[in-house]
Amino acid sequence: TLYRNRNQHYEDFHARFNKYRASVGKEEWDELPDNYAVSTMVDAITSIVKAIGATHLISRTNGHAVMQSLHQVAFEDGVSGAVSFTDFGDRKDAQFSIIN
């Protein structure tokens, strides 16, 4: 499987995803699609939620303040592997490359 960690982050996201699908009348999925894009998306959403949560309440609508908090986000048990960010907001040790 491409998911490095089928942990609580994965399980929580999967449960919320299925709750949403059920609310719009769609069939629930037994598993999330098994590919790198999905696992990276789960970690991206988890990261931004952690960054917003770490940002002072009155600053949460300030994109710069949230971005500063994102730079500090780090967790070892991401679905796609360890997650942390550079000072520019890029993922450290990313397992992908963007070629233009």
mmCIF file of all heavy atoms in Angstrom, residues 22-72:
data_model
loop_
_atom_site.group_PDB
_atom_site.id
_atom_site.type_symbol
_atom_site.label_atom_id
_atom_site.label_comp_id
_atom_site.label_asym_id
_atom_site.label_seq_id
_atom_site.Cartn_x
_atom_site.Cartn_y
_atom_site.Cartn_z
ATOM 1 N N ALA A 22 -22.212 10.286 2.772
ATOM 2 C CA ALA A 22 -23.544 9.852 3.187
ATOM 3 C C ALA A 22 -24.513 11.034 3.220
ATOM 4 O O ALA A 22 -25.681 10.896 2.832
ATOM 5 C CB ALA A 22 -23.472 9.173 4.553
ATOM 6 N N SER A 23 -24.028 12.217 3.637
ATOM 7 C CA SER A 23 -24.901 13.392 3.736
ATOM 8 C C SER A 23 -25.384 13.885 2.380
ATOM 9 O O SER A 23 -26.403 14.564 2.304
ATOM 10 C CB SER A 23 -24.198 14.525 4.485
ATOM 11 O OG SER A 23 -23.229 15.157 3.658
ATOM 12 N N VAL A 24 -24.643 13.548 1.325
ATOM 13 C CA VAL A 24 -25.058 13.954 -0.026
ATOM 14 C C VAL A 24 -25.605 12.774 -0.824
ATOM 15 O O VAL A 24 -25.724 12.840 -2.040
ATOM 16 C CB VAL A 24 -23.909 14.667 -0.793
ATOM 17 C CG1 VAL A 24 -23.535 15.969 -0.105
ATOM 18 C CG2 VAL A 24 -22.696 13.761 -0.957
ATOM 19 N N GLY A 25 -25.920 11.688 -0.102
ATOM 20 C CA GLY A 25 -26.564 10.541 -0.731
ATOM 21 C C GLY A 25 -25.657 9.657 -1.559
ATOM 22 O O GLY A 25 -26.127 8.927 -2.422
ATOM 23 N N LYS A 26 -24.358 9.711 -1.289
ATOM 24 C CA LYS A 26 -23.413 8.872 -2.029
ATOM 25 C C LYS A 26 -22.980 7.691 -1.178
ATOM 26 O O LYS A 26 -22.975 7.762 0.049
ATOM 27 C CB LYS A 26 -22.200 9.674 -2.471
ATOM 28 C CG LYS A 26 -22.570 10.773 -3.443
ATOM 29 C CD LYS A 26 -21.377 11.319 -4.138
ATOM 30 C CE LYS A 26 -21.863 12.363 -5.136
ATOM 31 N NZ LYS A 26 -21.002 12.504 -6.242
ATOM 32 N N GLU A 27 -22.616 6.616 -1.846
ATOM 33 C CA GLU A 27 -22.174 5.409 -1.166
ATOM 34 C C GLU A 27 -20.841 5.645 -0.454
ATOM 35 O O GLU A 27 -19.958 6.318 -0.971
ATOM 36 C CB GLU A 27 -22.007 4.293 -2.206
ATOM 37 C CG GLU A 27 -21.677 2.949 -1.630
ATOM 38 C CD GLU A 27 -21.609 1.875 -2.706
ATOM 39 O OE1 GLU A 27 -22.353 1.972 -3.697
ATOM 40 O OE2 GLU A 27 -20.788 0.965 -2.551
ATOM 41 N N GLU A 28 -20.711 5.078 0.749
ATOM 42 C CA GLU A 28 -19.462 5.187 1.480
ATOM 43 C C GLU A 28 -18.402 4.294 0.851
ATOM 44 O O GLU A 28 -18.722 3.297 0.215
ATOM 45 C CB GLU A 28 -19.670 4.793 2.947
ATOM 46 C CG GLU A 28 -20.544 5.770 3.691
ATOM 47 C CD GLU A 28 -20.682 5.431 5.154
ATOM 48 O OE1 GLU A 28 -19.940 4.561 5.662
ATOM 49 O OE2 GLU A 28 -21.532 6.048 5.812
ATOM 50 N N TRP A 29 -17.142 4.666 1.034
ATOM 51 C CA TRP A 29 -16.016 3.879 0.524
ATOM 52 C C TRP A 29 -15.412 3.078 1.665
ATOM 53 O O TRP A 29 -15.196 3.609 2.765
ATOM 54 C CB TRP A 29 -14.942 4.789 -0.053
ATOM 55 C CG TRP A 29 -15.330 5.485 -1.328
ATOM 56 C CD1 TRP A 29 -16.482 5.343 -2.041
ATOM 57 C CD2 TRP A 29 -14.549 6.439 -2.037
ATOM 58 N NE1 TRP A 29 -16.472 6.147 -3.141
ATOM 59 C CE2 TRP A 29 -15.288 6.829 -3.161
ATOM 60 C CE3 TRP A 29 -13.301 7.001 -1.823
ATOM 61 C CZ2 TRP A 29 -14.811 7.750 -4.080
ATOM 62 C CZ3 TRP A 29 -12.835 7.923 -2.731
ATOM 63 C CH2 TRP A 29 -13.578 8.282 -3.858
ATOM 64 N N ASP A 30 -15.103 1.817 1.398
ATOM 65 C CA ASP A 30 -14.434 0.982 2.401
ATOM 66 C C ASP A 30 -13.035 1.512 2.703
ATOM 67 O O ASP A 30 -12.563 1.429 3.833
ATOM 68 C CB ASP A 30 -14.323 -0.468 1.925
ATOM 69 C CG ASP A 30 -15.680 -1.138 1.848
ATOM 70 O OD1 ASP A 30 -16.593 -0.722 2.581
ATOM 71 O OD2 ASP A 30 -15.826 -2.073 1.047
ATOM 72 N N GLU A 31 -12.377 2.024 1.683
ATOM 73 C CA GLU A 31 -11.020 2.556 1.808
ATOM 74 C C GLU A 31 -10.907 3.792 0.928
ATOM 75 O O GLU A 31 -11.634 3.926 -0.051
ATOM 76 C CB GLU A 31 -9.986 1.532 1.320
ATOM 77 C CG GLU A 31 -10.056 0.204 2.016
ATOM 78 C CD GLU A 31 -8.809 -0.067 2.818
ATOM 79 O OE1 GLU A 31 -7.856 0.712 2.714
ATOM 80 O OE2 GLU A 31 -8.820 -1.047 3.552
ATOM 81 N N LEU A 32 -9.986 4.663 1.255
ATOM 82 C CA LEU A 32 -9.685 5.772 0.356
ATOM 83 C C LEU A 32 -8.900 5.227 -0.827
ATOM 84 O O LEU A 32 -8.214 4.209 -0.698
ATOM 85 C CB LEU A 32 -8.844 6.831 1.076
ATOM 86 C CG LEU A 32 -9.540 7.595 2.197
ATOM 87 C CD1 LEU A 32 -8.529 8.463 2.932
ATOM 88 C CD2 LEU A 32 -10.673 8.427 1.666
ATOM 89 N N PRO A 33 -8.982 5.869 -1.987
ATOM 90 C CA PRO A 33 -8.166 5.419 -3.117
ATOM 91 C C PRO A 33 -6.700 5.355 -2.708
ATOM 92 O O PRO A 33 -6.199 6.239 -2.020
ATOM 93 C CB PRO A 33 -8.398 6.499 -4.177
ATOM 94 C CG PRO A 33 -9.715 7.096 -3.814
ATOM 95 C CD PRO A 33 -9.788 7.035 -2.311
ATOM 96 N N ASP A 34 -6.034 4.303 -3.106
ATOM 97 C CA ASP A 34 -4.669 4.047 -2.653
ATOM 98 C C ASP A 34 -3.663 4.651 -3.630
ATOM 99 O O ASP A 34 -3.143 3.972 -4.504
ATOM 100 C CB ASP A 34 -4.463 2.536 -2.526
ATOM 101 C CG ASP A 34 -3.242 2.192 -1.699
ATOM 102 O OD1 ASP A 34 -2.686 3.089 -1.046
ATOM 103 O OD2 ASP A 34 -2.858 1.021 -1.718
ATOM 104 N N ASN A 35 -3.428 5.950 -3.484
ATOM 105 C CA ASN A 35 -2.416 6.590 -4.320
ATOM 106 C C ASN A 35 -1.773 7.750 -3.574
ATOM 107 O O ASN A 35 -2.299 8.229 -2.574
ATOM 108 C CB ASN A 35 -2.987 7.024 -5.673
ATOM 109 C CG ASN A 35 -4.022 8.104 -5.572
ATOM 110 O OD1 ASN A 35 -3.816 9.116 -4.921
ATOM 111 N ND2 ASN A 35 -5.162 7.897 -6.206
ATOM 112 N N TYR A 36 -0.644 8.178 -4.053
ATOM 113 C CA TYR A 36 0.133 9.208 -3.363
ATOM 114 C C TYR A 36 -0.612 10.533 -3.275
ATOM 115 O O TYR A 36 -0.531 11.224 -2.259
ATOM 116 C CB TYR A 36 1.483 9.392 -4.046
ATOM 117 C CG TYR A 36 2.386 10.313 -3.272
ATOM 118 C CD1 TYR A 36 3.023 9.851 -2.123
ATOM 119 C CD2 TYR A 36 2.585 11.621 -3.649
ATOM 120 C CE1 TYR A 36 3.833 10.686 -1.375
ATOM 121 C CE2 TYR A 36 3.394 12.463 -2.912
ATOM 122 C CZ TYR A 36 4.017 11.990 -1.781
ATOM 123 O OH TYR A 36 4.812 12.821 -1.037
ATOM 124 N N ALA A 37 -1.375 10.854 -4.316
ATOM 125 C CA ALA A 37 -2.096 12.128 -4.297
ATOM 126 C C ALA A 37 -3.088 12.179 -3.146
ATOM 127 O O ALA A 37 -3.207 13.197 -2.463
ATOM 128 C CB ALA A 37 -2.807 12.346 -5.629
ATOM 129 N N VAL A 38 -3.774 11.092 -2.888
ATOM 130 C CA VAL A 38 -4.760 11.071 -1.811
ATOM 131 C C VAL A 38 -4.075 11.160 -0.458
ATOM 132 O O VAL A 38 -4.486 11.930 0.413
ATOM 133 C CB VAL A 38 -5.656 9.815 -1.903
ATOM 134 C CG1 VAL A 38 -6.567 9.711 -0.683
ATOM 135 C CG2 VAL A 38 -6.487 9.850 -3.175
ATOM 136 N N SER A 39 -3.006 10.395 -0.262
ATOM 137 C CA SER A 39 -2.328 10.441 1.036
ATOM 138 C C SER A 39 -1.723 11.820 1.289
ATOM 139 O O SER A 39 -1.752 12.329 2.417
ATOM 140 C CB SER A 39 -1.265 9.345 1.147
ATOM 141 O OG SER A 39 -0.259 9.499 0.182
ATOM 142 N N THR A 40 -1.215 12.463 0.254
ATOM 143 C CA THR A 40 -0.662 13.805 0.391
ATOM 144 C C THR A 40 -1.769 14.812 0.689
ATOM 145 O O THR A 40 -1.590 15.722 1.499
ATOM 146 C CB THR A 40 0.104 14.198 -0.885
ATOM 147 O OG1 THR A 40 1.142 13.239 -1.108
ATOM 148 C CG2 THR A 40 0.721 15.572 -0.773
ATOM 149 N N MET A 41 -2.941 14.633 0.068
ATOM 150 C CA MET A 41 -4.067 15.515 0.316
ATOM 151 C C MET A 41 -4.516 15.420 1.776
ATOM 152 O O MET A 41 -4.778 16.439 2.418
ATOM 153 C CB MET A 41 -5.247 15.176 -0.594
ATOM 154 C CG MET A 41 -6.461 16.044 -0.336
ATOM 155 S SD MET A 41 -8.006 15.373 -0.975
ATOM 156 C CE MET A 41 -8.098 13.791 -0.185
ATOM 157 N N VAL A 42 -4.583 14.206 2.318
ATOM 158 C CA VAL A 42 -4.972 14.042 3.722
ATOM 159 C C VAL A 42 -4.000 14.815 4.620
ATOM 160 O O VAL A 42 -4.415 15.546 5.522
ATOM 161 C CB VAL A 42 -5.016 12.549 4.113
ATOM 162 C CG1 VAL A 42 -5.186 12.380 5.617
ATOM 163 C CG2 VAL A 42 -6.134 11.831 3.364
ATOM 164 N N ASP A 43 -2.708 14.688 4.358
ATOM 165 C CA ASP A 43 -1.708 15.388 5.169
ATOM 166 C C ASP A 43 -1.755 16.901 4.956
ATOM 167 O O ASP A 43 -1.513 17.670 5.888
ATOM 168 C CB ASP A 43 -0.309 14.845 4.886
ATOM 169 C CG ASP A 43 -0.104 13.471 5.495
ATOM 170 O OD1 ASP A 43 -0.874 13.082 6.394
ATOM 171 O OD2 ASP A 43 0.838 12.781 5.064
ATOM 172 N N ALA A 44 -2.090 17.342 3.749
ATOM 173 C CA ALA A 44 -2.208 18.782 3.488
ATOM 174 C C ALA A 44 -3.370 19.368 4.281
ATOM 175 O O ALA A 44 -3.228 20.432 4.909
ATOM 176 C CB ALA A 44 -2.404 19.034 1.988
ATOM 177 N N ILE A 45 -4.501 18.680 4.284
ATOM 178 C CA ILE A 45 -5.657 19.165 5.040
ATOM 179 C C ILE A 45 -5.350 19.148 6.535
ATOM 180 O O ILE A 45 -5.645 20.107 7.255
ATOM 181 C CB ILE A 45 -6.906 18.333 4.701
ATOM 182 C CG1 ILE A 45 -7.316 18.605 3.250
ATOM 183 C CG2 ILE A 45 -8.055 18.646 5.663
ATOM 184 C CD1 ILE A 45 -8.374 17.661 2.706
ATOM 185 N N THR A 46 -4.725 18.076 7.005
ATOM 186 C CA THR A 46 -4.345 17.983 8.419
ATOM 187 C C THR A 46 -3.403 19.127 8.781
ATOM 188 O O THR A 46 -3.549 19.759 9.836
ATOM 189 C CB THR A 46 -3.677 16.626 8.711
ATOM 190 O OG1 THR A 46 -4.600 15.579 8.406
ATOM 191 C CG2 THR A 46 -3.241 16.516 10.154
ATOM 192 N N SER A 47 -2.456 19.440 7.906
ATOM 193 C CA SER A 47 -1.484 20.510 8.164
ATOM 194 C C SER A 47 -2.154 21.866 8.271
ATOM 195 O O SER A 47 -1.841 22.652 9.186
ATOM 196 C CB SER A 47 -0.423 20.546 7.057
ATOM 197 O OG SER A 47 0.308 19.357 7.044
ATOM 198 N N ILE A 48 -3.056 22.173 7.360
ATOM 199 C CA ILE A 48 -3.693 23.496 7.400
ATOM 200 C C ILE A 48 -4.608 23.613 8.608
ATOM 201 O O ILE A 48 -4.690 24.674 9.235
ATOM 202 C CB ILE A 48 -4.416 23.847 6.077
ATOM 203 C CG1 ILE A 48 -4.733 25.354 6.007
ATOM 204 C CG2 ILE A 48 -5.668 23.048 5.872
ATOM 205 C CD1 ILE A 48 -3.552 26.256 5.936
ATOM 206 N N VAL A 49 -5.259 22.517 8.989
ATOM 207 C CA VAL A 49 -6.093 22.542 10.195
ATOM 208 C C VAL A 49 -5.223 22.797 11.426
ATOM 209 O O VAL A 49 -5.573 23.596 12.301
ATOM 210 C CB VAL A 49 -6.906 21.239 10.335
ATOM 211 C CG1 VAL A 49 -7.535 21.114 11.708
ATOM 212 C CG2 VAL A 49 -7.974 21.163 9.246
ATOM 213 N N LYS A 50 -4.066 22.125 11.495
ATOM 214 C CA LYS A 50 -3.143 22.344 12.614
ATOM 215 C C LYS A 50 -2.641 23.794 12.613
ATOM 216 O O LYS A 50 -2.527 24.419 13.666
ATOM 217 C CB LYS A 50 -1.963 21.379 12.531
ATOM 218 C CG LYS A 50 -2.317 19.948 12.920
ATOM 219 C CD LYS A 50 -1.099 19.050 12.732
ATOM 220 C CE LYS A 50 -1.390 17.635 13.132
ATOM 221 N NZ LYS A 50 -1.336 17.415 14.577
ATOM 222 N N ALA A 51 -2.344 24.343 11.443
ATOM 223 C CA ALA A 51 -1.850 25.718 11.348
ATOM 224 C C ALA A 51 -2.923 26.713 11.783
ATOM 225 O O ALA A 51 -2.636 27.648 12.539
ATOM 226 C CB ALA A 51 -1.389 26.027 9.926
ATOM 227 N N ILE A 52 -4.145 26.516 11.326
ATOM 228 C CA ILE A 52 -5.235 27.415 11.736
ATOM 229 C C ILE A 52 -5.449 27.318 13.243
ATOM 230 O O ILE A 52 -5.626 28.321 13.929
ATOM 231 C CB ILE A 52 -6.527 27.100 10.956
ATOM 232 C CG1 ILE A 52 -6.343 27.496 9.478
ATOM 233 C CG2 ILE A 52 -7.721 27.829 11.559
ATOM 234 C CD1 ILE A 52 -7.443 26.990 8.564
ATOM 235 N N GLY A 53 -5.417 26.083 13.771
ATOM 236 C CA GLY A 53 -5.584 25.889 15.208
ATOM 237 C C GLY A 53 -4.488 26.543 16.033
ATOM 238 O O GLY A 53 -4.722 26.973 17.163
ATOM 239 N N ALA A 54 -3.287 26.632 15.476
ATOM 240 C CA ALA A 54 -2.155 27.234 16.186
ATOM 241 C C ALA A 54 -2.121 28.755 16.050
ATOM 242 O O ALA A 54 -1.349 29.425 16.735
ATOM 243 C CB ALA A 54 -0.843 26.644 15.670
ATOM 244 N N THR A 55 -2.942 29.294 15.172
ATOM 245 C CA THR A 55 -2.991 30.736 14.941
ATOM 246 C C THR A 55 -3.981 31.366 15.927
ATOM 247 O O THR A 55 -5.065 30.834 16.146
ATOM 248 C CB THR A 55 -3.429 31.038 13.493
ATOM 249 O OG1 THR A 55 -2.540 30.374 12.597
ATOM 250 C CG2 THR A 55 -3.419 32.523 13.196
ATOM 251 N N HIS A 56 -3.597 32.494 16.513
ATOM 252 C CA HIS A 56 -4.471 33.190 17.457
ATOM 253 C C HIS A 56 -5.830 33.431 16.803
ATOM 254 O O HIS A 56 -5.913 33.767 15.621
ATOM 255 C CB HIS A 56 -3.839 34.520 17.879
ATOM 256 C CG HIS A 56 -4.524 35.144 19.044
ATOM 257 N ND1 HIS A 56 -5.665 35.890 18.917
ATOM 258 C CD2 HIS A 56 -4.243 35.098 20.373
ATOM 259 C CE1 HIS A 56 -6.053 36.293 20.101
ATOM 260 N NE2 HIS A 56 -5.205 35.832 21.014
ATOM 261 N N LEU A 57 -6.875 33.267 17.583
ATOM 262 C CA LEU A 57 -8.247 33.349 17.088
ATOM 263 C C LEU A 57 -8.513 34.594 16.250
ATOM 264 O O LEU A 57 -9.102 34.506 15.175
ATOM 265 C CB LEU A 57 -9.224 33.275 18.265
ATOM 266 C CG LEU A 57 -10.705 33.231 17.915
ATOM 267 C CD1 LEU A 57 -11.021 31.995 17.084
ATOM 268 C CD2 LEU A 57 -11.531 33.236 19.184
ATOM 269 N N ILE A 58 -8.062 35.743 16.707
ATOM 270 C CA ILE A 58 -8.357 36.971 15.963
ATOM 271 C C ILE A 58 -7.515 37.107 14.698
ATOM 272 O O ILE A 58 -7.797 37.965 13.863
ATOM 273 C CB ILE A 58 -8.213 38.234 16.843
ATOM 274 C CG1 ILE A 58 -6.782 38.398 17.338
ATOM 275 C CG2 ILE A 58 -9.191 38.203 18.004
ATOM 276 C CD1 ILE A 58 -6.535 39.728 18.044
ATOM 277 N N SER A 59 -6.503 36.252 14.529
ATOM 278 C CA SER A 59 -5.640 36.324 13.345
ATOM 279 C C SER A 59 -5.940 35.236 12.320
ATOM 280 O O SER A 59 -5.265 35.150 11.301
ATOM 281 C CB SER A 59 -4.175 36.216 13.767
ATOM 282 O OG SER A 59 -3.822 37.293 14.604
ATOM 283 N N ARG A 60 -6.927 34.412 12.561
ATOM 284 C CA ARG A 60 -7.189 33.273 11.675
ATOM 285 C C ARG A 60 -7.666 33.659 10.282
ATOM 286 O O ARG A 60 -7.606 32.850 9.368
ATOM 287 C CB ARG A 60 -8.184 32.315 12.322
ATOM 288 C CG ARG A 60 -7.556 31.583 13.488
ATOM 289 C CD ARG A 60 -8.484 30.598 14.106
ATOM 290 N NE ARG A 60 -7.799 29.912 15.191
ATOM 291 C CZ ARG A 60 -8.404 29.133 16.047
ATOM 292 N NH1 ARG A 60 -9.708 28.914 15.953
ATOM 293 N NH2 ARG A 60 -7.719 28.550 17.005
ATOM 294 N N THR A 61 -8.130 34.875 10.104
ATOM 295 C CA THR A 61 -8.511 35.331 8.765
ATOM 296 C C THR A 61 -7.351 36.030 8.058
ATOM 297 O O THR A 61 -7.510 36.469 6.927
ATOM 298 C CB THR A 61 -9.724 36.278 8.830
ATOM 299 O OG1 THR A 61 -9.399 37.397 9.663
ATOM 300 C CG2 THR A 61 -10.948 35.550 9.372
ATOM 301 N N ASN A 62 -6.218 36.110 8.716
ATOM 302 C CA ASN A 62 -5.023 36.735 8.156
ATOM 303 C C ASN A 62 -4.151 35.637 7.539
ATOM 304 O O ASN A 62 -3.535 34.847 8.251
ATOM 305 C CB ASN A 62 -4.273 37.476 9.269
ATOM 306 C CG ASN A 62 -3.008 38.136 8.798
ATOM 307 O OD1 ASN A 62 -2.312 37.637 7.916
ATOM 308 N ND2 ASN A 62 -2.680 39.263 9.400
ATOM 309 N N GLY A 63 -4.124 35.565 6.221
ATOM 310 C CA GLY A 63 -3.373 34.527 5.528
ATOM 311 C C GLY A 63 -1.904 34.487 5.901
ATOM 312 O O GLY A 63 -1.307 33.413 6.008
ATOM 313 N N HIS A 64 -1.308 35.652 6.115
ATOM 314 C CA HIS A 64 0.105 35.707 6.499
ATOM 315 C C HIS A 64 0.320 35.040 7.862
ATOM 316 O O HIS A 64 1.275 34.282 8.044
ATOM 317 C CB HIS A 64 0.603 37.150 6.523
ATOM 318 C CG HIS A 64 2.047 37.286 6.875
ATOM 319 N ND1 HIS A 64 3.061 36.907 6.023
ATOM 320 C CD2 HIS A 64 2.645 37.728 8.009
ATOM 321 C CE1 HIS A 64 4.224 37.113 6.612
ATOM 322 N NE2 HIS A 64 4.001 37.609 7.827
ATOM 323 N N ALA A 65 -0.570 35.313 8.806
ATOM 324 C CA ALA A 65 -0.443 34.720 10.142
ATOM 325 C C ALA A 65 -0.605 33.199 10.083
ATOM 326 O O ALA A 65 0.143 32.459 10.729
ATOM 327 C CB ALA A 65 -1.475 35.331 11.089
ATOM 328 N N VAL A 66 -1.565 32.728 9.298
ATOM 329 C CA VAL A 66 -1.772 31.279 9.161
ATOM 330 C C VAL A 66 -0.553 30.649 8.486
ATOM 331 O O VAL A 66 -0.092 29.581 8.883
ATOM 332 C CB VAL A 66 -3.070 30.969 8.382
ATOM 333 C CG1 VAL A 66 -3.194 29.476 8.100
ATOM 334 C CG2 VAL A 66 -4.288 31.469 9.152
ATOM 335 N N MET A 67 0.003 31.326 7.488
ATOM 336 C CA MET A 67 1.192 30.805 6.809
ATOM 337 C C MET A 67 2.372 30.705 7.769
ATOM 338 O O MET A 67 3.127 29.725 7.723
ATOM 339 C CB MET A 67 1.546 31.691 5.614
ATOM 340 C CG MET A 67 2.593 31.104 4.724
ATOM 341 S SD MET A 67 1.982 29.597 3.951
ATOM 342 C CE MET A 67 3.120 29.438 2.641
ATOM 343 N N GLN A 68 2.525 31.677 8.638
ATOM 344 C CA GLN A 68 3.596 31.621 9.637
ATOM 345 C C GLN A 68 3.411 30.405 10.554
ATOM 346 O O GLN A 68 4.371 29.735 10.910
ATOM 347 C CB GLN A 68 3.649 32.905 10.455
ATOM 348 C CG GLN A 68 4.104 34.116 9.665
ATOM 349 C CD GLN A 68 5.472 33.917 9.033
ATOM 350 O OE1 GLN A 68 6.406 33.467 9.669
ATOM 351 N NE2 GLN A 68 5.587 34.229 7.750
ATOM 352 N N SER A 69 2.167 30.124 10.915
ATOM 353 C CA SER A 69 1.887 28.943 11.740
ATOM 354 C C SER A 69 2.163 27.666 10.963
ATOM 355 O O SER A 69 2.668 26.682 11.525
ATOM 356 C CB SER A 69 0.432 28.956 12.210
ATOM 357 O OG SER A 69 0.196 30.028 13.087
ATOM 358 N N LEU A 70 1.856 27.667 9.663
ATOM 359 C CA LEU A 70 2.104 26.485 8.832
ATOM 360 C C LEU A 70 3.590 26.133 8.810
ATOM 361 O O LEU A 70 3.956 24.961 8.837
ATOM 362 C CB LEU A 70 1.592 26.700 7.410
ATOM 363 C CG LEU A 70 1.776 25.527 6.446
ATOM 364 C CD1 LEU A 70 0.952 24.327 6.895
ATOM 365 C CD2 LEU A 70 1.410 25.931 5.028
ATOM 366 N N HIS A 71 4.438 27.140 8.800
ATOM 367 C CA HIS A 71 5.884 26.890 8.797
ATOM 368 C C HIS A 71 6.324 26.092 10.025
ATOM 369 O O HIS A 71 7.344 25.416 9.979
ATOM 370 C CB HIS A 71 6.661 28.208 8.755
ATOM 371 C CG HIS A 71 6.449 28.976 7.491
ATOM 372 N ND1 HIS A 71 6.872 30.276 7.355
ATOM 373 C CD2 HIS A 71 5.855 28.665 6.322
ATOM 374 C CE1 HIS A 71 6.552 30.722 6.154
ATOM 375 N NE2 HIS A 71 5.932 29.755 5.513
ATOM 376 N N GLN A 72 5.555 26.181 11.105
ATOM 377 C CA GLN A 72 5.900 25.500 12.355
ATOM 378 C C GLN A 72 5.273 24.111 12.480
ATOM 379 O O GLN A 72 5.616 23.353 13.381
ATOM 380 C CB GLN A 72 5.456 26.349 13.547
ATOM 381 C CG GLN A 72 6.011 27.758 13.541
ATOM 382 C CD GLN A 72 7.521 27.792 13.419
ATOM 383 O OE1 GLN A 72 8.211 27.075 14.123
ATOM 384 N NE2 GLN A 72 8.033 28.609 12.501
#
